[in-house]
């Protein structure tokens, strides 16, 4: 989990740098290729953040379900009748 938070921080910093790069490229460079490079970096950072957020949400949901299953009484079954 610590690794994921570190990667999220790296992606967030990359996105901030990409925004700064876009502004710099628009202001001081004649070539539009530099702008598209920074737009691409920003897009990759955004997709990476979205991906790690979704993974983290899924992990938390699975942990919550596992905790709910552990707290249920083992002898009780809901919705099933015993076969006689």
């Amino acid at each position: 989990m610590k690794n994921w938070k570190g990667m999220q921080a790296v992606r967030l910093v990359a996105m901030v740098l990409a925004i700064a790069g876009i502004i710099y490229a628009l202001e001081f460079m004649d070539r539009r290729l530099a702008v598209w490079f920074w737009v691409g970096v920003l897009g990759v950072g955004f997709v990476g953040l979205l991906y790690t957020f979704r993974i983290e949400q899924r992990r938390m949901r699975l942990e919550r379900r596992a905790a709910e299953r552990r707290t249920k009484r083992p002898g009780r079954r809901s919705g099933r009748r015993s076969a006689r």
Side-chain angles (χ1 to χ4, degrees):
M1 184 168 119
K2 189 175 183 180
N3 188 24
W4 285 107
K5 290 188 185 263
M7 288 304 294
Q8 284 180 330
V10 168
R11 287 186 180 109
L12 186 61
V13 168
M15 291 174 67
V16 169
L17 288 175
I19 292 171
I22 291 170
I23 293 168
Y24 175 78
L26 286 173
E27 288 289 325
F28 300 109
M29 295 186 134
D30 293 335
R31 297 180 133 192
R32 296 292 180 215
L33 182 62
V35 174
W36 286 111
F37 169 77
W38 289 110
V39 168
V41 170
L42 183 63
V44 168
F46 179 74
V47 169
L49 277 176
L50 182 63
Y51 177 72
T52 54
F53 176 75
R54 299 279 297 182
I55 286 177
E56 189 69 19
Q57 290 294 316
R58 182 174 184 228
R59 184 190 61 78
M60 289 172 51
R61 186 175 57 243
L62 290 174
E63 285 179 0
R64 187 175 53 242
R65 286 181 185 168
E68 288 173 358
R69 288 181 188 141
R70 282 192 302 261
T71 59
K72 284 185 178 179
R73 285 188 260 171
R76 189 174 178 184
R77 295 180 187 229
S78 62
R80 288 188 176 181
R81 290 184 156 193
S82 61
R84 293 182 188 201

